[in-house]
Amino acid sequence: LKSIIMQVESVVSVAPPVPILHRRDVQGHGVGHEGRRLRSISANMWSLRLKNNGGTNLFLHDVEITPEGRPASKDKTPIDINRILITMAQRQNAQTFGNVKFGYDGKKLLWSVREPLFESTTFQVKYGDPDSSRDPETFLVTISPVGQADVSAIQEWIRQGGVGEPPIGTQALDILLRHTKNLTCISTNRSTFDPQTADPQPCFGGFSIWRGWYQGVKATQSGLVLNIDLAYSLFLNEQTGVDFVGAILGRREGGARNESLSSTDTSTCSREMKGLQFYTTHTAHKIKNRVSSLTQNADTISFEFDGRMVSVREYYRIKYNIQLQFPRLPVIQVKKSSGASYFPLELVMFKGDQRRTRLPTARQAQDFIKLAAVRPANRIRMLKDIKESLKYNVDPVTMNTLQIEQQAISIPGARLLPPPKIKYDPVELSPVDGTWNIKGAKLKAAPEPCKFYGVLVMGKTSDVPSNRVQSFFVEMGKIGSKSGYDLGRFDQQLLFYSNTEKDAISGMNRCHSAVMQRYKACHCVFVITLRGNTEPYREIKTFCDTSLGVVTQFIQRKNMMEAKGTICANIILKLNVKVNQMGKNHVCVPVARLQNNFEKRPFMILGADVTHPPPGATNTSISIAALVASTDRDMTRYVGKLHTQERSRQEVITSLGELLTPCLAAFHKAQKNQYPESIIMFRDGVGEGMQEDVLRIELDQIRKACASFKPNYAPKLTFVLVNKRHHTRFFAREKDEMDRNGNVHPGTVIDTTVCHPSFFEFYLVSSTALQGTSKGTLYRCLYDENNFTADELQHLCQRLSYNYARCTRSVSIATPAYYAHHLASRGRCYAKLDDEGSSDPSTRGGSSSSQMPNVHHQIRNQMFFC
C-alpha cells in the first residue's frame, strides 16, 4: 500500500500546473448566439443581497469537542450531539456569548456575524441520553477565533468577472443560513429533512421516503444566489426486529416469525441491518447499540455464563426469565473490543428516523423514483413554499445580514438550439423534442450482422416454452430485415436451459460450445432471464467478456413473451454496434458553420468516468476508471479500456496514459495509419474541489501517452467536465417554450446569469424527461487548444447527445461520457463488487489491479459495453 501511495504521489508531483481557462479568454466571453431566444426561462435560484451596504464581516472560529477524561478516539462526536452541546454551552454561558449571532456546521466551523465571539475559551458541558441509565458525560467545548472574511469582497470579485482566486464567503453564508433549521431538523451534507413536514411515504423494506430540501449559496454572473431544490431520502420506520426482517424479505406480517431463515435471507437481512441503531425492550432502561451483523440463531450460539456454556435462549431464560418465542430466527450480533453480545430480534426495537446511507435496493429504487419524479409546475410551487417556510428574512441569525429576493431568477439569455438532422440510409430525420421514428429507414451501416448465435434460458421449459422463444426470434428477424439488419435464423438445436442460477456458467459453456461446433464462430449468446436479477448478469457478463470472448444480450422473459416491435428494434440497435467493429445505427449531420476546425482533420473524442464504492462500503472496496475513445469521424464507434484505481474513492485517473495508449493504437488501425490531430476529453464525475488536480494530472497523462506512442506527437487538447450532480433546474412559463410534460424543450442552453462568473461553462438540456423535471448537464471547459467558441462547443455537445446508439432519442449527457459510465459499471461486474461495493474476499490481493480480469482479445475492440 505504501508503494502504491508513493507511485500516486510521484505522478501528482511531476505533473506541471495548468491554468484553468477563463471565460474572458474565449471568443465572445463564452456566450453563444445560435438558436431562438427564450423569454420565460427561470431557475430554482433566488438572489441573495447583503444588508448594511454589503459591508458585513464574518468571523471564523474553530470548534473542538472532546469528552472529558476519555482518551482521544477516531470516532468523532456525532454532528447532532455537537449541535446540542454548542446550544447548551450558549445557554449556560449567555453573558459570555452575548448577543452575537453565529452559525455552526456541526463539526469544526463556527461563523459569527460582525464581531468575534470571544478569545479562545473552553466550556464544560454535561450531556446524557435521556433514555439511558448512564450518568451524563462531561464534554469540553473549545471555541477559538481563527480568521475573518468580508462578504462584500466576493460580490466585488463577481463584479470584476471572477478574476483571480475567489474570496472566502459562500461557505460561511451557507452555514449561517442553515444554522437555525439544523437545530431541529435532520441534516446531511446540504440537504435538510424536517420530521414535521417530511410527508413520509411507505417504501419497501421497512423504510419511508421523506421529502426535504437542498440549499446552497452560489456565486453566479448575476451575483450571489440561493439555490433551493427538492431532496428525497429513505428513513427507517420504528419497528421491532422481527417486523423489520419480514419487511426486508417482503413477507406479510408474521411471515418471518415462526421459521428459520435460509443463509441467503440471513445474509440479506444482515446487510440491510448493518450499522443501524436499535434499543432493547426487555430492560428497565433502553440499551442502545448498532448492528454488526445477523448470525445463526438463539439455539446454535453459545457462550460461557456463570461458569458453564449456555445458549442465547438459555441465557435470556436464566437472567431475564424470558422464554423466547422465535428461537429459530437469527440473532443480532454486536461486536465490541470486550467481545460480542447477542440480542434476539423479538427483544429489540429499531429506532426510527435513521437515514439510509446505503444505496436503495432495486425494489426501493422503484418506489423512490415514482415519488421523486415531480413535474415542473408542482416542483417550482413546492420550492417556493419551502423558501417561504424557511423565513430567512426574519431568522435571528440572518435577518440583519442577508435578504433573499421574493422572485426566482429569470434568465433572459436562454436559447433553444435546433436539433441536428439524424442520417440513416438513405433518409435524414428531424427529431422532435429529442425523439425520432426510424420506421421506413435502414441502419447507416450493418456490414457484419449477428449470424451465428445461441440462446440460454435461465429457467425451465415450463417457464419459457421453446416455441415462444422461436416466435420471438422470428419476429426480431422481421424487424431487423426492415432495418437492413440480417439476423441469422433461430436454430432450435442451439437453445439451452439452465434450471438454476448456480448452473449459469456451465449452461453458457454448453451453449457457446454448441454454436462453435456448428458454425466455427459465435457472434452472440442471448440470455433470457425470468427476472431482472443482478447476480447471473454479473457472473455471465464477466465470464463471457473475459474468458469466452463473446458478447451477450440479456432479455427479460416478460419482454420476450410480449415480443413488441419496439423491444425487438431496440435489441437490433444494440446488436448492430456491439457484435462487430463497423456497425453504425445513425450519424448526426453537423451544421457546417458551427463546426470547429478540429473536425477538418483526424480527431478523437474521449469519455472518462470513475465509479466509486457506494456509501457504507468497506475500506477494501475499490474504485474503477473507464475510458472510451472514438475511432471514426462520425463519433459513433468507440473502444473502451478499464483500470482499477490505486486507492478507494480516488477520483484522479493516474493510469490514464496506460488506458489511452491502446485506444490510440485502435484509432491508428481503424483510420488507416492516421493519428488524431486533436483530442477532446469529456470527463464525468468531477467535483469542483477536484477539478484542478484532475486537469493537471490527466492532461499530463494524455500528453505523455501521445509522446510515447509516437516521437514528437502532440495533438491539440480540449478538456471538458461533464456534470449532472448539481441542483439547478430550469422552468418555462410560456406554453411554446415547454414540452407536453411542462419541461423546457431539449436543446435549451443557458450560458449567462446563473453560470459561474469565471469559468467557460453552460447548461444544456438535451433530452426529454419521461417523468419528473428535466435536469440539464453542466459542461465546463477547463482547457482548450482547439479554440472553441461557445456556439461550436454547445453544438458539439448537442450532437454527441444524439449519437447514443441504444435508442432513437437523445440522452442527457454527451454519449462518450455515457459510454464511459456503462463501461465503469461493467468493471464492477469484473471486480465482483456487490451492491455494498465490497468484493469477494477470495479475489482480494495486495494490489487492487489484481482484482479485475482483462477483456478477451476477441472483443476488446468492440463496443461490448453498449
Side-chain angles (χ1 to χ4, degrees):
L1 178 61
K2 186 175 181 180
S3 172
I4 292 172
I5 292 173
M6 290 175 64
Q7 291 174 24
V8 176
E9 290 176 344
S10 68
V11 171
V12 173
S13 62
V14 170
V18 178
I20 290 179
L21 179 65
H22 195 289
R23 69 184 183 93
R24 68 163 184 258
D25 298 322
V26 180
Q27 183 178 331
H29 288 185
V31 177
H33 302 282
E34 279 293 320
R36 174 167 67 95
R37 186 75 64 174
L38 301 176
R39 307 175 301 278
S40 69
I41 305 301
S42 61
N44 56 333
M45 297 181 184
W46 285 262
S47 292
L48 187 155
R49 309 295 181 194
L50 299 178
K51 294 185 177 181
N52 299 320
N53 298 320
T56 299
N57 285 326
L58 304 178
F59 293 83
L60 176 62
H61 301 72
D62 175 74
V63 177
E64 186 72 34
I65 297 177
T66 55
E68 187 179 48
R70 205 188 332 154
S73 171
K74 293 181 181 178
D75 298 327
K76 301 294 183 181
T77 310
I79 289 176
D80 56 340
I81 302 301
N82 284 344
R83 290 197 171 105
I84 291 173
L85 293 172
I86 288 291
T87 302
M88 292 177 68
Q90 182 186 25
R91 289 174 180 170
Q92 295 169 9
N93 302 274
Q95 189 171 357
T96 305
F97 276 79
N99 293 321
V100 178
K101 306 302 180 183
F102 63 85
Y104 175 49
D105 73 346
K107 299 176 183 177
K108 293 283 290 180
L109 303 181
L110 185 151
W111 288 91
S112 63
V113 181
R114 292 202 177 91
E115 58 182 290
L117 288 174
F118 33 66
E119 295 299 319
S120 181
T121 306
T122 299
F123 305 95
Q124 282 190 332
V125 181
K126 285 191 174 183
Y127 173 77
D129 188 336
D131 294 326
S132 174
S133 60
R134 297 177 181 174
D135 293 332
E137 189 171 11
T138 300
F139 291 84
L140 300 179
V141 179
T142 302
I143 303 175
S144 308
V146 293
Q148 72 179 76
D150 183 357
V151 184
S152 62
I154 195 168
Q155 291 189 315
E156 182 60 29
W157 176 76
I158 293 171
R159 278 193 290 269
Q160 293 179 0
V163 179
E165 290 295 319
I168 297 173
T170 58
Q171 181 196 47
L173 297 177
D174 262 332
I175 293 172
L176 290 171
L177 286 167
R178 290 165 53 85
H179 176 78
T180 300
K181 277 294 184 181
N182 281 343
L183 296 178
T184 57
C185 299
I186 300 172
S187 62
T188 170
N189 297 325
R190 291 187 178 182
S191 295
T192 306
F193 299 88
D194 187 343
Q196 303 301 317
T197 61
D199 188 24
Q201 298 296 314
C203 184
F204 182 80
F207 288 82
S208 290
I209 302 172
W210 287 23
R211 186 184 69 230
W213 68 92
Y214 160 91
Q215 67 181 67
V217 177
K218 298 178 61 176
T220 69
Q221 294 177 27
S222 62
L224 290 173
V225 300
L226 179 64
N227 182 199
I228 303 177
D229 196 12
L230 297 182
Y232 292 88
S233 193
L234 293 174
F235 284 82
L236 186 66
N237 299 327
E238 182 143 347
Q239 59 202 304
T240 68
V242 175
D243 288 341
F244 193 14
V245 167
I248 292 169
L249 300 178
R251 299 176 183 176
R252 293 180 179 179
E253 186 177 354
R257 293 177 183 271
N258 298 312
E259 58 185 65
S260 58
L261 300 185
S262 67
S263 59
T264 300
D265 286 347
T266 300
S267 177
T268 298
C269 292
S270 181
R271 184 169 59 246
E272 285 293 290
M273 291 181 173
K274 185 177 180 180
L276 294 176
Q277 190 179 72
F278 66 90
Y279 59 88
T280 57
T281 59
H282 64 282
T283 52
H285 294 277
K286 297 177 181 178
I287 300 175
K288 294 182 179 180
N289 279 295
R290 291 191 180 273
V291 177
S292 299
S293 64
L294 211 60
T295 181
Q296 299 185 45
N297 62 52
D299 285 329
T300 56
I301 297 175
S302 60
F303 49 88
E304 186 174 344
F305 177 69
D306 278 351
R308 66 187 183 93
M309 298 299 292
V310 297
S311 67
V312 172
R313 188 211 285 234
E314 291 172 326
Y315 171 79
Y316 279 90
R317 178 177 56 79
I318 296 170
K319 182 161 185 178
Y320 296 104
N321 194 28
I322 294 175
Q323 186 68 40
L324 297 182
Q325 299 180 56
F326 315 114
R328 299 175 65 190
L329 287 179
V331 296
I332 293 173
Q333 183 181 51
V334 176
K335 293 181 179 179
K336 296 184 177 180
S337 57
S338 57
S341 300
Y342 301 96
F343 299 87
L345 288 166
E346 62 193 82
L347 300 181
V348 306
M349 181 72 72
F350 277 85
K351 179 179 175 291
D353 301 352
Q354 297 184 70
R355 180 176 170 271
R356 184 183 178 91
T357 57
R358 294 183 179 85
L359 291 176
T361 64
R363 177 70 179 275
Q364 288 171 340
Q366 292 177 6
D367 296 340
F368 196 91
I369 291 171
K370 288 178 183 177
L371 186 66
V374 181
R375 288 296 186 197
N378 289 335
R379 191 180 200 93
I380 192 63
R381 176 183 56 78
M382 294 164 71
L383 293 178
K384 289 177 179 178
D385 290 344
I386 289 171
K387 183 253 180 186
E388 291 303 316
S389 70
L390 295 176
K391 300 179 180 178
Y392 289 124
N393 293 335
V394 295
D395 186 325
V397 176
T398 58
M399 61 184 295
N400 295 318
T401 307
L402 305 172
Q403 179 178 334
I404 313 297
E405 298 299 325
Q406 288 295 316
Q407 299 298 321
I409 289 181
S410 294
I411 307 170
R415 293 171 288 119
L416 180 63
L417 303 180
K421 297 287 186 180
I422 308 298
K423 188 172 182 58
Y424 285 87
D425 187 17
V427 300
E428 287 187 4
L429 304 177
S430 298
V432 177
D433 277 338
T435 64
W436 60 96
N437 191 331
I438 61 172
K439 187 176 181 179
K442 294 187 181 296
L443 301 177
K444 187 71 175 73
E448 300 174 3
C450 179
K451 288 288 190 181
F452 313 130
Y453 61 87
V455 180
L456 176 65
V457 177
M458 301 300 300
K460 303 175 182 178
T461 54
S462 57
D463 298 320
V464 186
S466 60
N467 64 319
R468 298 300 297 270
V469 177
Q470 182 173 6
S471 298
F472 175 78
F473 279 92
V474 169
E475 179 64 21
M476 192 157 64
K478 292 177 182 178
I479 297 293
S481 180
K482 293 178 182 178
S483 302
Y485 190 85
D486 189 14
L487 180 69
R489 290 174 60 87
F490 173 77
D491 189 336
Q492 189 80 33
Q493 300 299 315
L494 299 177
L495 171 62
F496 293 82
Y497 288 83
S498 181
N499 293 337
T500 64
E501 293 178 0
K502 294 180 180 179
D503 193 36
I505 298 303
S506 63
M508 178 58 69
N509 262 324
R510 285 185 285 117
C511 184
H512 179 260
S513 297
V515 177
M516 291 296 293
Q517 186 174 359
R518 175 73 60 89
Y519 299 116
K520 309 302 179 187
C522 182
H523 294 154
C524 179
V525 174
F526 294 88
V527 183
I528 300 174
T529 60
L530 303 185
R531 301 172 299 277
N533 286 7
T534 57
E535 198 51 48
Y537 178 89
R538 291 172 180 154
E539 193 175 5
I540 290 175
K541 285 292 185 182
T542 300
F543 179 68
C544 292
D545 288 357
T546 63
S547 297
L548 282 187
V550 61
V551 297
T552 52
Q553 178 60 50
F554 276 67
I555 306 169
Q556 285 194 39
R557 175 186 177 276
K558 65 176 183 179
N559 292 333
M560 190 221 68
M561 299 294 274
E562 292 175 356
K564 291 182 179 178
T566 53
I567 293 172
C568 294
N570 279 343
I571 294 175
I572 293 295
L573 294 179
K574 294 180 182 180
L575 292 177
N576 188 43
V577 294
K578 71 181 181 180
V579 166
N580 59 75
Q581 297 185 35
M582 300 179 65
K584 295 182 182 181
N585 293 338
H586 66 270
V587 297
C588 290
V589 181
V591 177
R593 72 176 185 278
L594 297 178
Q595 281 186 284
N596 183 276
N597 286 332
F598 83 87
E599 292 192 58
K600 297 177 180 179
R601 304 291 301 165
F603 64 89
M604 174 183 280
I605 305 292
L606 300 179
D609 191 18
V610 179
T611 178
H612 297 294
T618 63
N619 291 330
T620 59
S621 302
I622 62 174
S623 297
I624 298 172
L627 178 74
V628 300
S630 65
T631 58
D632 69 328
R633 295 189 61 80
D634 296 321
M635 299 175 281
T636 59
R637 297 296 312 178
Y638 291 81
V639 293
K641 304 299 172 186
L642 286 164
H643 200 280
T644 51
Q645 295 284 75
E646 288 84 354
R647 286 181 283 187
S648 180
R649 295 183 173 86
Q650 173 187 316
E651 184 57 48
V652 179
I653 308 176
T654 52
S655 59
L656 187 60
E658 186 179 338
L659 295 172
L660 180 59
T661 301
C663 295
L664 290 170
F667 181 97
H668 189 251
K669 181 179 179 180
Q671 293 296 313
K672 299 178 180 179
N673 301 326
Q674 293 189 93
Y675 299 91
E677 296 181 18
S678 297
I679 296 178
I680 318 296
M681 164 67 97
F682 287 91
R683 179 64 159 88
D684 192 15
V686 180
E688 194 162 311
M690 286 296 299
Q691 66 181 19
E692 291 186 12
D693 285 342
V694 167
L695 174 66
R696 177 169 58 91
I697 296 165
E698 295 183 7
L699 205 64
D700 185 62
Q701 287 280 302
I702 294 173
R703 285 173 172 151
K704 287 179 177 177
C706 292
S708 65
F709 191 73
K710 177 188 175 185
N712 301 317
Y713 172 46
K716 294 180 180 179
L717 305 179
T718 297
F719 201 99
V720 181
L721 297 187
V722 181
N723 182 16
K724 281 206 73 175
R725 297 177 180 87
H726 60 78
H727 292 271
T728 303
R729 306 278 185 144
F730 299 105
F731 305 88
R733 293 188 302 276
E734 298 185 9
K735 289 289 185 181
D736 66 333
E737 296 183 358
M738 63 177 72
D739 65 16
R740 61 183 181 181
N741 295 323
N743 281 298
V744 297
H745 288 291
T748 299
V749 63
I750 287 91
D751 52 18
T752 62
T753 311
V754 296
C755 292
H756 195 276
S758 61
F759 295 129
F760 176 23
E761 69 177 27
F762 55 89
Y763 293 92
L764 175 63
V765 179
S766 56
S767 65
T768 297
L770 299 179
Q771 51 187 339
T773 305
S774 60
K775 179 192 282 191
T777 296
L778 176 62
Y779 294 93
R780 178 176 290 174
C781 185
L782 298 184
Y783 186 83
D784 182 26
E785 293 178 338
N786 289 287
N787 298 319
F788 276 96
T789 66
D791 285 324
E792 290 171 350
L793 187 56
Q794 290 164 12
H795 178 61
L796 175 63
C797 291
Q798 187 186 34
R799 283 165 54 201
L800 286 172
S801 300
Y802 281 78
N803 258 5
Y804 190 61
R806 290 170 54 165
C807 57
T808 56
R809 62 173 57 244
S810 59
V811 291
S812 61
I813 63 175
T815 290
Y818 210 157
Y819 285 161
H821 178 74
H822 286 320
L823 183 57
S825 297
R826 186 66 60 85
R828 296 184 67 77
C829 297
Y830 302 164
K832 299 184 180 180
L833 295 176
D834 58 24
D835 291 335
E836 300 301 306
S838 302
S839 58
D840 184 336
S842 64
T843 66
R844 291 192 192 122
S847 169
S848 61
S849 60
S850 65
Q851 297 179 15
M852 194 164 59
N854 293 322
V855 177
H856 197 281
H857 66 89
Q858 289 184 349
I859 64 169
R860 66 176 52 155
N861 287 332
Q862 296 175 206
M863 293 173 63
F864 61 92
F865 49 84
C866 191

